[in-house]
Amino acid sequence: MSALPKELIQEIIQENDFRNPGEIMSFLKESFKEVLQEILEAEMDVTLGYPREDLSQKITDNSRNGYSTKRLKSEFGPVQIEVPRDRKGEFEPKII
């Protein structure tokens, strides 16, 4: 079982024109960072009960309040992410 469809992997290879394993690792590190960032945003959506783009679903007096920078150690090396904050300080990410 593959995490990504073969066609998508081939498309990534074509779009990035990798020339050496270091370029592949850089791509994977950046992809890892982007996936973590999206998971954090989804966790915040769940915590607050509404997506960032749709305030009509907001039923809480809590709201987003910027980001805090956090540096993680990973198998890809250090990765800097932006952890979302909420006004009440209730958001505790589970992924990190």
Side-chain angles (χ1 to χ4, degrees):
M1 185 173 127
S2 176
L4 298 173
K6 186 176 182 176
E7 295 80 17
L8 180 56
I9 293 170
Q10 290 171 343
E11 184 179 324
I12 290 168
I13 292 168
Q14 279 184 331
E15 287 177 4
N16 290 279
D17 190 32
F18 299 119
R19 298 192 189 280
N20 58 59
E23 290 179 359
I24 296 169
M25 286 302 291
S26 292
F27 173 82
L28 291 173
K29 180 178 180 179
E30 188 61 30
S31 297
F32 174 70
K33 175 184 173 180
E34 290 172 6
V35 168
L36 274 180
Q37 202 65 55
E38 286 302 315
I39 290 172
L40 288 169
E41 295 294 342
E43 284 188 42
M44 179 61 88
D45 289 352
V46 170
T47 298
L48 294 176
Y50 68 95
R52 171 181 219 99
E53 305 80 26
D54 192 359
L55 293 177
S56 68
Q57 294 183 30
K58 183 177 178 180
I59 56 172
T60 179
D61 60 343
N62 200 359
S63 59
R64 288 168 176 78
N65 188 29
Y67 295 87
S68 296
T69 301
K70 184 167 191 153
R71 189 175 180 96
L72 303 176
K73 293 179 183 176
S74 79
E75 294 169 358
F76 296 106
V79 177
Q80 186 168 312
I81 59 171
E82 301 294 319
V83 180
R85 295 186 316 227
D86 64 316
R87 293 211 180 269
K88 291 186 173 183
E90 299 172 345
F91 179 60
E92 288 291 330
K94 300 195 181 9
I95 193 73
I96 55 169

